[in-house]
Amino acid sequence: MKYTIKAGVLYKNESQLALVRIKSALIGPQRKILSIADELLLTADARYLDESKASSGDVRNREYLLTDNENQLVGSACPGYADGDDPNVVGWPICRMPILL
């Protein structure tokens, strides 16, 4: 299945049917996922696992949370680095620009 997001509306590509609307908070990473009828379905948010490392840039310090409209946790995920991109091995900053030889 393929989907498209335009102006905060998620569409299913095959039918161009609008599925949900995604609204951002004024400040912070929180997103509200609303039905087309404007009912709250889910809330997506991100938090730091260690607030003292918030400015480190290390994505492993973040956790992404998805909660339902009763504030029950639906899912969570912690990102990582692809093989060969771990900053503990290759150092900081991670440069993803192609190298001309």
Side-chain angles (χ1 to χ4, degrees):
M1 290 186 196
K2 293 187 179 181
Y3 299 92
T4 301
I5 295 178
K6 291 182 184 174
V9 179
L10 180 68
Y11 296 92
K12 189 171 182 180
N13 282 358
E14 292 86 25
S15 63
Q16 287 302 309
L17 177 69
L19 302 173
V20 295
R21 292 183 322 113
I22 303 169
K23 293 182 99 177
S24 299
L26 188 58
I27 298 172
Q30 189 179 73
R31 306 282 189 268
K32 301 281 184 186
I33 302 168
L34 307 165
S35 71
I36 297 305
D38 226 19
E39 298 168 347
L40 179 64
L41 300 174
L42 299 167
T43 302
D45 205 354
R47 71 179 182 101
Y48 291 109
L49 299 175
D50 183 348
E51 199 63 43
S52 68
K53 297 179 182 176
S55 62
S56 72
D58 190 338
V59 300
R60 295 171 293 197
N61 189 38
R62 294 188 195 123
E63 180 178 31
Y64 294 89
L65 307 168
L66 193 62
T67 55
D68 63 14
N69 59 359
E70 295 176 358
N71 209 26
Q72 297 295 314
L73 186 64
V74 174
S76 67
C78 293
Y81 290 99
D83 290 341
D85 276 345
D86 187 335
N88 293 334
V89 176
V90 297
W92 288 96
I94 300 172
C95 180
R96 292 180 176 84
M97 295 296 295
I99 298 172
L100 298 175
L101 300 175

Coordinates of all heavy atoms in Angstrom, one line a residue:
M1 N 0.8 -1.2 0.0 CA 0.0 0.0 0.0 C 0.9 1.2 0.0 O 1.9 1.3 0.7 CB -0.9 0.0 1.2 CG -2.0 -1.0 1.3 SD -3.0 -0.6 2.7 CE -3.8 -2.2 2.8
K2 N 0.4 2.3 -0.7 CA 1.2 3.5 -0.7 C 0.2 4.6 -0.2 O -1.0 4.6 -0.5 CB 1.6 3.8 -2.1 CG 2.7 2.9 -2.6 CD 3.3 3.3 -3.9 CE 4.3 2.3 -4.4 NZ 4.9 2.7 -5.6
Y3 N 0.8 5.5 0.5 CA 0.1 6.6 1.1 C 0.8 7.9 0.8 O 2.0 8.0 0.6 CB 0.0 6.5 2.6 CG -0.7 5.2 3.0 CD1 0.0 4.0 3.3 CD2 -2.1 5.2 3.2 CE1 -0.7 2.9 3.6 CE2 -2.8 4.0 3.6 CZ -2.1 2.9 3.8 OH -2.7 1.7 4.2
T4 N 0.0 9.0 0.8 CA 0.6 10.4 0.6 C 0.0 11.3 1.7 O -1.1 11.2 2.1 CB 0.1 10.9 -0.8 OG1 0.5 10.0 -1.8 CG2 0.7 12.3 -1.1
I5 N 0.9 12.2 2.2 CA 0.5 13.2 3.1 C 0.6 14.6 2.4 O 1.6 14.9 1.9 CB 1.3 13.2 4.4 CG1 1.2 11.9 5.2 CG2 1.0 14.4 5.3 CD1 2.0 11.8 6.4
K6 N -0.5 15.3 2.4 CA -0.6 16.6 1.8 C -1.3 17.5 2.8 O -2.4 17.2 3.2 CB -1.3 16.6 0.5 CG -0.6 15.9 -0.6 CD -1.5 16.1 -1.9 CE -0.9 15.3 -3.0 NZ -1.7 15.3 -4.2
A7 N -0.6 18.6 3.2 CA -1.2 19.6 4.1 C -1.8 18.9 5.3 O -2.9 19.3 5.8 CB -2.2 20.4 3.4
G8 N -1.1 17.9 5.9 CA -1.6 17.3 7.1 C -2.7 16.3 7.0 O -3.3 15.9 7.9
V9 N -3.0 15.9 5.7 CA -4.1 14.9 5.5 C -3.4 13.7 4.9 O -2.7 13.8 3.9 CB -5.2 15.5 4.6 CG1 -6.2 14.4 4.3 CG2 -5.8 16.7 5.2
L10 N -3.7 12.5 5.4 CA -3.1 11.2 4.9 C -4.1 10.6 4.0 O -5.3 10.5 4.3 CB -2.9 10.3 6.1 CG -2.3 8.9 5.7 CD1 -0.9 9.0 5.2 CD2 -2.4 8.0 6.9
Y11 N -3.6 10.4 2.7 CA -4.5 9.8 1.7 C -4.0 8.4 1.3 O -2.8 8.2 1.3 CB -4.4 10.7 0.4 CG -5.0 12.0 0.5 CD1 -4.1 13.1 0.9 CD2 -6.3 12.3 0.3 CE1 -4.7 14.4 1.0 CE2 -6.8 13.6 0.4 CZ -6.0 14.6 0.8 OH -6.5 15.9 0.9
K12 N -4.9 7.5 0.9 CA -4.5 6.3 0.4 C -4.4 6.5 -1.1 O -5.3 6.9 -1.8 CB -5.6 5.2 0.7 CG -5.2 3.8 0.3 CD -6.2 2.8 0.8 CE -5.7 1.4 0.4 NZ -6.6 0.4 0.9
N13 N -3.2 6.2 -1.7 CA -2.9 6.6 -3.1 C -3.9 6.0 -4.1 O -4.3 6.6 -5.0 CB -1.5 6.2 -3.5 CG -0.5 7.2 -2.9 OD1 -0.8 8.2 -2.3 ND2 0.8 6.9 -3.2
E14 N -4.2 4.7 -3.9 CA -5.1 4.0 -4.9 C -6.4 4.7 -5.1 O -6.9 4.8 -6.2 CB -5.3 2.5 -4.6 CG -4.1 1.7 -4.7 CD -3.2 1.7 -3.4 OE1 -3.8 2.0 -2.3 OE2 -2.0 1.5 -3.4
S15 N -7.0 5.2 -4.0 CA -8.4 5.7 -4.1 C -8.4 7.2 -3.9 O -9.5 7.8 -4.1 CB -9.2 5.1 -3.1 OG -8.7 5.4 -1.8
Q16 N -7.3 7.8 -3.5 CA -7.2 9.2 -3.1 C -8.3 9.6 -2.0 O -8.8 10.7 -1.9 CB -7.5 10.1 -4.4 CG -6.3 10.2 -5.3 CD -5.0 10.7 -4.6 OE1 -5.0 11.7 -3.9 NE2 -3.9 9.9 -4.7
L17 N -8.6 8.5 -1.2 CA -9.5 8.7 -0.1 C -8.8 9.3 1.1 O -7.7 8.7 1.4 CB -10.1 7.3 0.2 CG -11.0 7.2 1.4 CD1 -12.3 8.0 1.1 CD2 -11.3 5.8 1.8
A18 N -9.3 10.3 1.7 CA -8.7 10.9 2.9 C -8.9 10.0 4.0 O -10.1 9.6 4.3 CB -9.3 12.3 3.1
L19 N -7.9 9.6 4.7 CA -8.0 8.6 5.9 C -8.0 9.3 7.2 O -8.9 9.1 8.0 CB -6.8 7.6 5.8 CG -6.7 6.8 4.5 CD1 -5.5 6.0 4.6 CD2 -7.9 5.9 4.4
V20 N -7.0 10.2 7.5 CA -7.0 10.9 8.7 C -6.3 12.3 8.5 O -5.7 12.5 7.5 CB -6.1 10.2 9.8 CG1 -6.8 8.9 10.2 CG2 -4.7 9.9 9.4
R21 N -6.5 13.2 9.5 CA -5.8 14.4 9.5 C -4.7 14.4 10.7 O -5.0 13.8 11.7 CB -6.8 15.6 9.8 CG -7.7 15.8 8.6 CD -8.7 17.0 8.8 NE -9.2 17.2 10.1 CZ -8.9 18.3 10.8 NH1 -8.1 19.2 10.4 NH2 -9.4 18.4 12.1
I22 N -3.6 15.0 10.4 CA -2.5 15.1 11.4 C -2.3 16.5 11.8 O -2.0 17.3 10.9 CB -1.2 14.4 10.9 CG1 -1.6 13.0 10.5 CG2 -0.1 14.5 11.9 CD1 -0.5 12.3 9.7
K23 N -2.5 16.9 13.1 CA -2.3 18.3 13.5 C -1.1 18.3 14.5 O -1.0 17.5 15.4 CB -3.5 18.7 14.3 CG -4.7 18.9 13.4 CD -5.9 19.4 14.1 CE -6.0 20.9 13.9 NZ -7.2 21.5 14.5
S24 N -0.2 19.3 14.3 CA 0.9 19.5 15.1 C 0.6 20.5 16.3 O -0.3 21.3 16.2 CB 2.0 20.2 14.3 OG 2.4 19.4 13.2
A25 N 1.3 20.3 17.4 CA 1.2 21.2 18.5 C 1.9 22.5 18.1 O 2.8 22.5 17.3 CB 1.8 20.6 19.7
L26 N 1.6 23.6 18.8 CA 2.3 24.8 18.5 C 3.8 24.8 18.8 O 4.6 25.2 18.1 CB 1.6 26.0 19.3 CG 2.0 27.4 18.9 CD1 1.8 27.7 17.5 CD2 1.3 28.4 19.8
I27 N 4.1 24.1 20.0 CA 5.4 23.9 20.4 C 5.6 22.5 20.7 O 4.8 21.9 21.4 CB 5.8 24.8 21.6 CG1 5.6 26.3 21.3 CG2 7.1 24.5 22.2 CD1 5.7 27.2 22.5
G28 N 6.7 21.9 20.3 CA 7.1 20.5 20.7 C 6.7 19.5 19.6 O 6.1 19.9 18.6
P29 N 7.1 18.3 19.8 CA 7.0 17.2 18.8 C 5.6 16.5 18.7 O 5.3 15.7 17.9 CB 8.0 16.2 19.2 CG 8.1 16.3 20.7 CD 7.8 17.8 21.0
Q30 N 4.7 16.9 19.7 CA 3.4 16.2 19.7 C 2.5 16.4 18.5 O 2.5 17.5 17.9 CB 2.6 16.6 21.0 CG 1.4 15.7 21.2 CD 0.7 16.2 22.5 OE1 0.0 17.2 22.4 NE2 0.8 15.4 23.5
R31 N 1.9 15.3 18.0 CA 1.0 15.3 16.9 C -0.3 14.6 17.3 O -0.3 13.6 18.0 CB 1.5 14.5 15.7 CG 2.9 14.9 15.3 CD 2.9 16.2 14.4 NE 4.1 16.5 13.8 CZ 5.1 17.3 14.4 NH1 4.9 17.8 15.6 NH2 6.2 17.6 13.8
K32 N -1.4 15.2 16.9 CA -2.8 14.6 17.1 C -3.2 14.0 15.8 O -3.1 14.6 14.7 CB -3.8 15.7 17.5 CG -3.4 16.4 18.8 CD -3.7 15.5 20.0 CE -3.5 16.3 21.3 NZ -3.6 15.6 22.5
I33 N -3.6 12.8 15.8 CA -4.1 12.1 14.6 C -5.7 12.0 14.8 O -6.2 11.4 15.7 CB -3.5 10.7 14.5 CG1 -2.0 10.8 14.4 CG2 -4.1 10.0 13.3 CD1 -1.2 9.6 14.5
L34 N -6.4 12.7 13.9 CA -7.8 12.9 14.0 C -8.5 12.2 12.8 O -7.9 12.2 11.7 CB -8.2 14.4 13.9 CG -7.5 15.3 15.0 CD1 -7.6 16.7 14.6 CD2 -8.0 15.0 16.3
S35 N -9.7 11.7 13.1 CA -10.5 11.2 12.0 C -10.9 12.3 11.1 O -10.8 13.5 11.5 CB -11.7 10.4 12.5 OG -12.6 11.3 13.0
I36 N -11.4 12.0 9.9 CA -11.9 13.0 9.0 C -13.1 13.8 9.6 O -13.3 14.9 9.4 CB -12.3 12.4 7.6 CG1 -11.1 11.8 7.0 CG2 -12.9 13.5 6.7 CD1 -9.9 12.8 6.8
A37 N -13.8 13.1 10.6 CA -14.9 13.7 11.3 C -14.4 14.5 12.5 O -15.2 15.0 13.3 CB -15.9 12.7 11.7
D38 N -13.1 14.7 12.6 CA -12.5 15.5 13.7 C -12.5 14.9 15.0 O -12.4 15.6 16.1 CB -13.1 16.9 13.7 CG -12.0 18.0 13.8 OD1 -10.8 17.7 13.5 OD2 -12.3 19.1 14.2
E39 N -12.5 13.6 15.1 CA -12.5 12.8 16.4 C -11.0 12.4 16.7 O -10.4 11.9 15.8 CB -13.4 11.6 16.4 CG -14.8 11.9 16.2 CD -15.6 10.7 15.8 OE1 -15.1 9.6 15.5 OE2 -16.9 10.8 15.9
L40 N -10.6 12.6 17.9 CA -9.2 12.2 18.2 C -9.1 10.7 18.2 O -9.8 10.0 18.9 CB -8.8 12.7 19.6 CG -7.4 12.3 20.1 CD1 -6.4 12.9 19.3 CD2 -7.3 12.8 21.6
L41 N -8.1 10.2 17.4 CA -7.9 8.7 17.3 C -6.6 8.4 18.1 O -6.6 7.5 18.9 CB -7.7 8.3 15.9 CG -8.9 8.6 14.9 CD1 -8.5 8.2 13.5 CD2 -10.1 7.8 15.4
L42 N -5.5 9.1 17.8 CA -4.2 8.8 18.4 C -3.4 10.0 18.7 O -3.7 11.1 18.0 CB -3.4 7.8 17.5 CG -4.0 6.5 17.2 CD1 -3.2 5.9 16.0 CD2 -3.9 5.6 18.4
T43 N -2.4 9.9 19.6 CA -1.5 11.0 19.8 C -0.1 10.5 19.7 O 0.2 9.4 20.2 CB -1.7 11.6 21.2 OG1 -3.0 12.1 21.4 CG2 -0.7 12.8 21.5
A44 N 0.7 11.1 18.9 CA 2.1 10.7 18.7 C 3.0 11.8 19.4 O 2.7 13.0 19.3 CB 2.5 10.7 17.2
D45 N 4.0 11.3 20.1 CA 4.9 12.2 20.8 C 6.3 11.6 20.9 O 6.5 10.4 20.6 CB 4.4 12.4 22.2 CG 4.8 13.8 22.8 OD1 5.6 14.5 22.2 OD2 4.3 14.1 23.9
A46 N 7.3 12.4 21.2 CA 8.6 12.0 21.3 C 9.1 12.5 22.7 O 8.7 13.6 23.1 CB 9.5 12.5 20.2
R47 N 10.0 11.7 23.3 CA 10.6 12.1 24.6 C 12.1 11.7 24.6 O 12.5 10.8 23.9 CB 9.8 11.6 25.8 CG 10.0 10.1 26.0 CD 9.2 9.7 27.2 NE 9.4 8.3 27.5 CZ 10.2 7.8 28.4 NH1 10.9 8.5 29.2 NH2 10.3 6.5 28.5
Y48 N 12.8 12.4 25.4 CA 14.2 12.1 25.6 C 14.3 11.1 26.7 O 13.7 11.2 27.8 CB 15.1 13.3 26.0 CG 15.2 14.3 24.8 CD1 14.5 15.5 24.8 CD2 16.0 13.9 23.7 CE1 14.7 16.4 23.8 CE2 16.1 14.8 22.7 CZ 15.4 16.0 22.7 OH 15.6 16.9 21.6
L49 N 15.1 10.0 26.6 CA 15.4 9.0 27.6 C 16.2 9.6 28.7 O 16.1 9.3 29.9 CB 16.0 7.8 27.0 CG 15.1 7.1 25.9 CD1 15.9 6.0 25.3 CD2 13.8 6.6 26.5
D50 N 17.2 10.5 28.3 CA 18.1 11.1 29.3 C 18.1 12.6 29.0 O 18.7 13.0 28.0 CB 19.5 10.5 29.2 CG 20.4 11.1 30.3 OD1 20.1 12.1 30.9 OD2 21.5 10.6 30.5
E51 N 17.4 13.4 29.8 CA 17.2 14.8 29.5 C 18.6 15.6 29.4 O 18.7 16.5 28.7 CB 16.3 15.5 30.5 CG 15.7 16.8 30.1 CD 14.8 16.7 28.9 OE1 14.0 15.8 28.8 OE2 14.9 17.6 28.0
S52 N 19.6 15.1 30.2 CA 20.9 15.7 30.2 C 21.6 15.6 28.9 O 22.5 16.3 28.6 CB 21.7 15.2 31.4 OG 22.1 13.8 31.1
K53 N 21.2 14.6 28.1 CA 21.8 14.4 26.8 C 20.9 14.9 25.6 O 21.1 14.5 24.5 CB 22.1 12.9 26.6 CG 23.0 12.3 27.5 CD 23.2 10.8 27.3 CE 24.2 10.2 28.3 NZ 24.3 8.7 28.1
A54 N 19.9 15.7 25.9 CA 19.0 16.2 24.9 C 19.6 16.9 23.8 O 19.2 16.8 22.6 CB 17.9 17.1 25.6
S55 N 20.7 17.6 24.0 CA 21.3 18.4 22.9 C 22.5 17.6 22.3 O 23.2 18.1 21.4 CB 21.9 19.7 23.4 OG 22.9 19.5 24.4
S56 N 22.6 16.3 22.6 CA 23.7 15.5 22.0 C 23.6 15.2 20.6 O 24.5 14.9 19.9 CB 23.9 14.2 22.8 OG 22.8 13.3 22.5
G57 N 22.3 15.1 20.1 CA 22.1 14.8 18.7 C 22.0 13.3 18.4 O 21.8 12.8 17.3
D58 N 22.2 12.5 19.5 CA 22.2 11.0 19.3 C 20.7 10.6 19.3 O 20.0 10.7 20.3 CB 22.9 10.4 20.5 CG 23.2 8.9 20.4 OD1 22.4 8.3 19.6 OD2 24.1 8.4 21.0
V59 N 20.3 10.0 18.2 CA 18.9 9.6 18.0 C 18.5 8.5 19.0 O 17.3 8.3 19.3 CB 18.6 9.2 16.6 CG1 18.8 10.3 15.6 CG2 19.3 7.9 16.2
R60 N 19.5 7.7 19.5 CA 19.2 6.6 20.5 C 18.7 7.1 21.8 O 18.2 6.4 22.6 CB 20.4 5.8 20.6 CG 20.8 5.0 19.4 CD 22.1 4.4 19.5 NE 23.2 5.4 19.7 CZ 24.5 5.2 19.5 NH1 24.9 4.0 19.2 NH2 25.3 6.1 19.6
N61 N 18.8 8.5 22.0 CA 18.3 9.1 23.2 C 16.8 9.4 23.2 O 16.3 10.0 24.1 CB 19.1 10.3 23.6 CG 18.9 10.9 24.9 OD1 18.7 10.1 25.9 ND2 18.8 12.2 25.1
R62 N 16.2 9.1 22.1 CA 14.7 9.4 21.9 C 13.9 8.2 21.9 O 14.3 7.1 21.5 CB 14.5 10.1 20.6 CG 15.2 11.5 20.5 CD 14.8 12.2 19.3 NE 15.7 13.3 19.1 CZ 16.4 13.5 18.0 NH1 16.3 12.7 17.0 NH2 17.2 14.6 17.9
E63 N 12.7 8.4 22.4 CA 11.6 7.3 22.3 C 10.4 8.0 21.7 O 10.0 9.0 22.1 CB 11.3 6.8 23.7 CG 10.3 5.7 23.7 CD 10.0 5.1 25.1 OE1 10.1 5.8 26.1 OE2 9.7 3.9 25.1
Y64 N 9.8 7.3 20.8 CA 8.6 7.8 20.1 C 7.4 6.9 20.7 O 7.5 5.7 20.7 CB 8.7 7.6 18.6 CG 9.8 8.5 18.1 CD1 11.1 8.1 18.0 CD2 9.5 9.8 17.7 CE1 12.1 9.0 17.5 CE2 10.5 10.7 17.3 CZ 11.8 10.3 17.2 OH 12.7 11.1 16.7
L65 N 6.4 7.7 21.1 CA 5.2 7.0 21.7 C 3.9 7.3 20.9 O 3.7 8.4 20.4 CB 5.0 7.6 23.1 CG 6.3 7.5 24.0 CD1 6.1 8.4 25.3 CD2 6.6 6.1 24.4
L66 N 3.1 6.3 20.9 CA 1.8 6.4 20.3 C 0.7 6.0 21.3 O 0.8 4.9 21.8 CB 1.7 5.5 19.0 CG 0.6 5.7 18.1 CD1 0.6 7.1 17.4 CD2 0.6 4.7 17.0
T67 N -0.2 6.9 21.6 CA -1.2 6.6 22.6 C -2.6 6.8 22.0 O -2.8 7.6 21.1 CB -1.1 7.6 23.9 OG1 -1.1 8.9 23.4 CG2 0.2 7.3 24.6
D68 N -3.6 6.1 22.6 CA -5.0 6.3 22.1 C -5.6 7.4 22.8 O -5.0 8.2 23.6 CB -5.7 5.0 22.2 CG -5.9 4.5 23.7 OD1 -5.7 5.3 24.6 OD2 -6.3 3.4 23.9
N69 N -6.9 7.7 22.5 CA -7.6 8.8 23.0 C -7.9 8.7 24.5 O -8.4 9.6 25.1 CB -8.9 9.1 22.2 CG -9.9 8.0 22.2 OD1 -9.6 6.9 22.8 ND2 -11.0 8.1 21.6
E70 N -7.6 7.5 25.1 CA -7.8 7.4 26.6 C -6.4 7.4 27.2 O -6.2 6.9 28.4 CB -8.5 6.1 26.9 CG -9.9 6.1 26.4 CD -10.7 4.8 26.6 OE1 -10.0 3.8 27.1 OE2 -11.8 4.7 26.3
N71 N -5.4 7.8 26.5 CA -4.0 7.9 27.0 C -3.4 6.6 27.3 O -2.4 6.5 28.1 CB -3.9 8.9 28.2 CG -2.5 9.6 28.2 OD1 -1.9 9.7 27.2 ND2 -2.1 10.0 29.4
Q72 N -3.8 5.5 26.7 CA -3.2 4.2 26.8 C -2.2 4.0 25.8 O -2.4 4.3 24.6 CB -4.3 3.1 26.7 CG -5.3 3.2 27.8 CD -4.8 2.9 29.2 OE1 -4.0 2.0 29.4 NE2 -5.1 3.7 30.2
L73 N -1.0 3.5 26.1 CA 0.1 3.3 25.2 C -0.3 2.3 24.1 O -0.7 1.1 24.5 CB 1.4 2.9 25.9 CG 2.6 2.8 25.1 CD1 3.0 4.1 24.5 CD2 3.7 2.2 25.9
V74 N -0.2 2.6 22.9 CA -0.5 1.7 21.8 C 0.8 1.1 21.2 O 0.9 0.0 20.9 CB -1.3 2.4 20.6 CG1 -1.5 1.6 19.4 CG2 -2.6 3.0 21.1
G75 N 1.8 2.0 21.2 CA 3.1 1.5 20.7 C 4.2 2.5 21.0 O 4.0 3.6 21.3
S76 N 5.5 2.0 21.0 CA 6.6 2.8 21.2 C 7.8 2.3 20.4 O 7.8 1.1 20.0 CB 7.0 2.9 22.7 OG 7.4 1.6 23.1
A77 N 8.7 3.2 20.1 CA 9.9 2.8 19.3 C 11.1 3.6 19.7 O 10.9 4.8 20.0 CB 9.6 2.9 17.8
C78 N 12.3 3.1 19.7 CA 13.5 3.8 19.9 C 14.3 3.6 18.6 O 14.6 2.5 18.2 CB 14.3 3.3 21.0 SG 13.5 3.5 22.6
P79 N 14.7 4.7 18.0 CA 15.5 4.6 16.7 C 17.0 4.2 17.0 O 17.5 4.3 18.1 CB 15.5 6.0 16.2 CG 15.2 6.9 17.3 CD 14.5 6.1 18.3
G80 N 17.6 3.8 16.0 CA 19.0 3.4 16.0 C 19.7 3.9 14.8 O 19.2 4.6 14.0
Y81 N 21.0 3.5 14.6 CA 21.8 3.9 13.5 C 22.0 2.7 12.6 O 22.1 1.5 13.0 CB 23.2 4.4 13.9 CG 23.1 5.8 14.6 CD1 23.1 5.9 15.9 CD2 22.9 6.9 13.8 CE1 23.0 7.1 16.6 CE2 22.9 8.2 14.4 CZ 22.9 8.3 15.8 OH 22.8 9.5 16.4
A82 N 22.0 2.9 11.3 CA 22.3 1.9 10.3 C 23.7 1.4 10.5 O 24.6 2.1 11.0 CB 22.1 2.4 8.9
D83 N 24.0 0.2 10.0 CA 25.4 -0.4 10.1 C 26.3 0.6 9.4 O 26.0 1.1 8.3 CB 25.4 -1.8 9.4 CG 24.7 -2.8 10.2 OD1 24.5 -2.6 11.4 OD2 24.3 -3.9 9.6
G84 N 27.4 0.8 10.1 CA 28.4 1.7 9.5 C 28.2 3.2 9.8 O 29.0 4.1 9.4
D85 N 27.1 3.5 10.5 CA 26.8 4.9 10.8 C 26.8 5.2 12.3 O 26.4 6.3 12.8 CB 25.4 5.4 10.3 CG 25.5 5.8 8.8 OD1 26.6 6.1 8.3 OD2 24.4 5.9 8.2
D86 N 27.2 4.2 13.1 CA 27.2 4.4 14.6 C 28.2 5.4 15.0 O 29.4 5.3 14.7 CB 27.5 3.1 15.3 CG 27.3 3.2 16.8 OD1 27.4 4.3 17.4 OD2 27.1 2.1 17.4
P87 N 27.8 6.6 15.6 CA 28.8 7.6 15.9 C 29.8 7.2 16.9 O 30.9 7.7 17.0 CB 27.9 8.7 16.5 CG 26.6 8.1 16.8 CD 26.5 6.9 16.0
N88 N 29.6 6.1 17.7 CA 30.6 5.6 18.6 C 31.7 4.9 17.8 O 32.8 4.8 18.4 CB 30.0 4.6 19.6 CG 29.0 5.3 20.6 OD1 29.1 6.5 20.8 ND2 28.1 4.5 21.1
V89 N 31.4 4.5 16.6 CA 32.4 3.9 15.8 C 33.1 4.8 14.8 O 34.3 4.9 14.7 CB 31.8 2.7 15.0 CG1 32.8 2.0 14.0 CG2 31.3 1.6 16.0
V90 N 32.2 5.6 14.1 CA 32.7 6.5 13.0 C 33.0 7.9 13.5 O 33.6 8.7 12.8 CB 31.7 6.5 11.8 CG1 31.6 5.2 11.2 CG2 30.4 7.1 12.2
G91 N 32.5 8.2 14.7 CA 32.8 9.6 15.3 C 31.7 10.5 14.9 O 30.8 10.3 14.1
W92 N 31.7 11.7 15.5 CA 30.8 12.8 15.3 C 31.5 13.9 14.5 O 32.7 14.1 14.6 CB 30.3 13.4 16.6 CG 29.4 12.5 17.3 CD1 29.8 11.6 18.3 CD2 28.0 12.3 17.2 NE1 28.7 11.0 18.8 CE2 27.6 11.4 18.1 CE3 27.0 12.9 16.3 CZ2 26.2 11.0 18.2 CZ3 25.7 12.5 16.4 CH2 25.3 11.6 17.4
P93 N 30.8 14.6 13.7 CA 29.5 14.4 13.2 C 29.4 13.3 12.1 O 30.4 13.0 11.5 CB 29.0 15.7 12.6 CG 30.3 16.3 12.1 CD 31.4 15.8 13.1
I94 N 28.3 12.7 12.0 CA 28.1 11.7 10.9 C 27.9 12.5 9.6 O 26.9 13.2 9.5 CB 26.9 10.8 11.2 CG1 27.1 10.1 12.6 CG2 26.7 9.8 10.1 CD1 25.9 9.3 13.0
C95 N 28.7 12.3 8.7 CA 28.6 12.9 7.4 C 28.0 11.9 6.4 O 28.6 10.8 6.2 CB 30.0 13.4 6.9 SG 29.9 14.2 5.3
R96 N 26.9 12.2 5.8 CA 26.3 11.3 4.9 C 26.4 11.8 3.4 O 25.7 11.3 2.5 CB 24.8 11.1 5.2 CG 24.6 10.4 6.5 CD 23.2 10.2 6.9 NE 23.0 9.4 8.1 CZ 23.1 9.9 9.3 NH1 23.3 11.1 9.5 NH2 23.0 9.1 10.4
M97 N 27.3 12.7 3.2 CA 27.5 13.2 1.9 C 28.4 12.2 1.1 O 29.3 11.6 1.7 CB 28.2 14.6 1.9 CG 27.4 15.7 2.5 SD 25.9 16.0 1.6 CE 26.6 16.6 0.1
P98 N 28.2 12.0 -0.2 CA 29.1 11.1 -0.9 C 30.5 11.7 -1.0 O 30.7 12.9 -1.0 CB 28.4 11.1 -2.3 CG 27.4 12.1 -2.3 CD 27.1 12.6 -1.0
I99 N 31.4 10.8 -1.0 CA 32.8 11.2 -1.1 C 33.3 11.0 -2.5 O 33.1 9.9 -3.1 CB 33.7 10.3 -0.1 CG1 33.2 10.5 1.3 CG2 35.2 10.6 -0.3 CD1 33.9 9.6 2.3
L100 N 33.9 12.0 -3.1 CA 34.4 11.9 -4.5 C 35.9 11.4 -4.4 O 36.7 12.0 -3.6 CB 34.4 13.3 -5.2 CG 33.0 13.8 -5.4 CD1 33.1 15.2 -6.0 CD2 32.2 12.9 -6.3
L101 N 36.2 10.4 -5.1 CA 37.5 9.8 -5.1 C 38.2 10.2 -6.3 O 37.7 10.3 -7.4 CB 37.5 8.3 -4.8 CG 36.8 7.9 -3.5 CD1 36.7 6.4 -3.5 CD2 37.6 8.4 -2.3

